[in-house]
Amino acid sequence: MASDHNNPYHVAISQVRLVGEILGLDGGMIELLSRPKRELTVNFPVPMDDGTIKIFTGYRVQHNSVRGPCKGGMRYHPEVTLDEIRALAMWMTWKCATVDIPYGGAKGGVICDPKKMSSGELERLTRRYVSELMPLIGPHTDIPGPDMYTDAQTMSWFMDTYSMNVGHSMPSIVTGKPISLGGSKGRDEATSRGLMYCVREAMDVSDIKRKEATVAIQGFGNVGWNAARLLKDELGLTIIALSDSSGGITKLSGLDPVSVHEHKRRTGSVQDYPGATNITNEELLETQCTVLVPAAMENAITSENADNIDALILAEGANGPSTLRADKILAEKGTLVIPDILCNAGGVTVSYFEWVQNLQFLYWSNVEIRERLNEIMTYAFSKVYTTAESKDVDMRTAAYLLSINEVVQATKLRGIYP
Ligand code: NAD
């Protein structure tokens, strides 16, 4: 079964088949779980600043809604593909089941290069994309949120466009909004805070002392930068390497994430940070450290570099950062992998909190958000860890066994319509 497919959808299907066989699922159920429930491809025009009209392609894929409305972010990236969105939608289904929140999985994306577009062009692109998605989305059917290169401003345009189309304000249509538009306290750092709770638990079960622990993080966007900050400030770990798409930096005595963030804001990159040494993204992944956090793209860790990973714990901030072959190598090496569907589930959990608050028009304090998130992540980690130990499987297999079984049980209880 081990494979190094670079197509994330093939990886996602292989994972379902592998776990389906362990669970003894029949072929029909495995096929049902492997395919998205609904997919929409839209080609739409956007007036550009130079007066031309450009046609963009976007997708929205709903993988499964058996346990509740579909939930998943939307990404703007030149390399978005339908298969990538299908895989990400499927992983959202398992992620929501892993942390036991009542959602199914979805994902969306637009093929575009947001770094080369003006704010006006991005606004027009977003408003038209939302309008094209209107037949599929809704506060009780499919609730989008942010992902790579989309942010609170994108979500504000999203919420406004949907609201203007239905004729009244509808904050519950999208999550990741600014607080003034019904966003939840703590959403910006939620994915990284959930990751930090998982790292805390993983270090505790592995008897690793925090004072001696070092961290390397690939990707310095929303997830990477907040993870660096929280792992340093709340767990007291030493951040020794950071990177973004232009390359990385290392400093064994420790980097100050806030100061690196400011440097990136000024210069556009983490590289050339005073006092640190520039490294490549490949070198970053092979840094000797206690905790390695891939927080950028899929397929960062493959059979080609898995052997050189020199970390005790791999905390998957990104979605799908390890291929199946890499997984096998890491398991043989004894690396404790906190799988993406558990490790980065803090984001969708606080998105769920945001949606619940929007539906109730009743808002929670930061303390309440953190307590609820801590409880959910700690319980999910312990469930996955205990399953991994009792069934003698790795953490990813354990998370899949638990989450796929949840979806299978819900499907059986509902029955196949009609
Ligand atoms: P982001 O756009 O804020 O940041 C992405 C970062 O990755 C940037 O620093 C970029 O420079 C860097 N990057 C891009 N390509 C790279 C490469 N080849 N090598 C090294 N760095 C590279 O995105 P984000 O929201 O932080 O998301 C990062 C990952 O986490 C994605 O896989 C996303 O699906 C996943 N994720 C995000 C959230 C969330 O709440 N934002 C939730 C769950 C999972």
Side-chain angles (χ1 to χ4, degrees):
M1 282 310 293
S3 142
D4 217 17
H5 292 300
N6 278 339
N7 180 324
Y9 186 44
H10 294 170
V11 174
I13 291 176
S14 302
Q15 289 166 333
V16 173
R17 292 206 178 126
L18 183 69
V19 172
E21 280 165 25
I22 302 176
L23 286 171
L25 301 181
D26 64 51
M29 183 62 85
I30 292 178
E31 191 69 8
L32 175 66
L33 299 174
S34 300
R35 297 206 187 188
K37 173 187 170 73
R38 287 196 190 106
E39 312 183 327
L40 181 66
T41 299
V42 292
N43 298 298
F44 57 92
V46 177
M48 306 303 279
D49 290 348
D50 65 4
T52 60
I53 302 284
K54 201 168 163 198
I55 309 299
F56 289 87
T57 299
Y59 307 105
R60 185 75 189 167
V61 174
Q62 298 176 343
H63 171 253
N64 189 293
S65 62
V66 169
R67 297 179 63 258
C70 294
K71 182 85 189 91
M74 44 185 242
R75 60 174 53 181
Y76 291 172
H77 196 272
E79 282 157 32
V80 162
T81 65
L82 182 54
D83 272 356
E84 176 192 45
I85 301 299
R86 285 172 170 150
L88 292 164
M90 196 193 293
W91 286 324
M92 284 304 295
T93 304
W94 313 141
K95 192 180 296 184
C96 294
T98 299
V99 286
D100 202 13
I101 55 177
Y103 279 144
K107 204 80 180 188
V110 178
I111 306 170
C112 64
D113 193 347
K115 285 185 179 173
K116 294 190 180 142
M117 294 172 71
S118 70
S119 171
E121 288 170 339
L122 284 170
E123 177 174 353
R124 294 191 289 278
L125 177 136
T126 302
R127 290 186 180 281
R128 182 64 190 240
Y129 173 57
V130 177
S131 303
E132 298 288 345
L133 295 189
M134 288 293 290
L136 218 56
I137 56 174
H140 295 285
T141 52
D142 183 354
I143 307 111
D147 192 68
M148 285 191 80
Y149 298 110
T150 56
D151 56 18
Q153 177 60 75
T154 324
M155 301 307 120
S156 304
W157 294 326
F158 197 110
M159 180 264 194
D160 183 68
T161 306
Y162 189 89
S163 298
M164 295 314 285
N165 272 279
V166 296
H168 54 98
S169 282
M170 184 70 81
S172 52
I173 181 56
V174 71
T175 60
K177 302 177 295 295
I179 295 203
S180 55
L181 288 180
S184 178
K185 294 199 170 78
R187 177 61 186 88
D188 281 356
E189 59 165 35
T191 303
S192 315
R193 180 166 284 282
L195 180 147
M196 184 266 290
Y197 291 140
C198 285
V199 169
R200 181 193 64 196
E201 296 303 301
M203 287 178 63
D204 284 354
V205 297
S206 310
D207 274 333
I208 298 172
K209 293 201 175 45
R210 294 185 194 172
K211 256 170 70 185
E212 291 155 19
T214 55
V215 181
I217 303 179
Q218 184 199 42
F220 203 58
N222 178 291
V223 178
W225 127 253
N226 281 303
R229 188 175 57 79
L230 292 169
L231 290 169
K232 176 176 179 292
D233 293 350
E234 301 211 6
L235 295 189
L237 314 189
T238 307
I239 313 298
I240 58 166
L242 294 169
S243 76
D244 59 24
S245 54
S246 52
I249 49 171
T250 183
K251 187 178 174 192
L252 293 182
S253 59
L255 292 157
D256 173 15
V258 176
S259 166
V260 177
H261 194 247
E262 174 54 23
H263 171 80
K264 182 174 162 77
R265 198 192 57 75
R266 268 190 294 109
T267 66
S269 145
V270 298
Q271 286 222 309
D272 300 323
Y273 177 72
T277 309
N278 283 343
I279 52 171
T280 63
N281 259 301
E282 290 71 36
E283 288 169 325
L284 178 128
L285 291 171
E286 297 174 7
T287 301
Q288 184 185 31
C289 57
T290 315
V291 185
L292 175 65
V293 182
M297 301 286 288
E298 297 90 45
N299 297 324
I301 302 169
T302 66
S303 58
E304 283 175 18
N305 61 0
D307 235 349
N308 300 332
I309 299 294
D310 201 355
L312 298 177
I313 296 169
L314 181 73
E316 295 187 337
N319 287 310
S322 316
T323 65
L324 290 184
R325 264 200 202 145
D327 240 8
K328 195 161 178 267
I329 297 168
L330 294 171
E332 279 161 10
K333 279 159 65 99
T335 312
L336 176 57
V337 177
I338 312 172
D340 50 3
I341 59 170
L342 167 65
C343 196
N344 69 32
V348 71
T349 303
V350 175
S351 287
Y352 164 63
F353 294 167
E354 178 176 339
W355 178 72
V356 170
Q357 293 171 83
N358 290 158
L359 290 174
Q360 298 181 340
F361 292 98
L362 179 67
Y363 289 86
W364 306 343
S365 71
N366 232 327
V367 174
E368 273 175 288
I369 300 280
R370 287 180 188 181
E371 278 175 6
R372 288 179 198 261
L373 180 63
N374 191 2
E375 194 181 323
I376 287 178
M377 297 305 299
T378 307
Y379 182 63
F381 182 95
S382 138
K383 229 174 32 172
V384 172
Y385 184 76
T386 314
T387 303
E389 292 283 288
S390 66
K391 300 217 180 295
D392 196 20
V393 292
D394 58 70
M395 291 275 284
R396 191 187 315 281
T397 308
Y400 273 83
L401 283 170
L402 287 165
S403 59
I404 292 181
N405 193 45
E406 282 287 323
V407 177
V408 169
Q409 294 314 317
T411 308
K412 286 185 177 163
L413 284 167
R414 284 181 61 159
I416 305 290
Y417 182 84

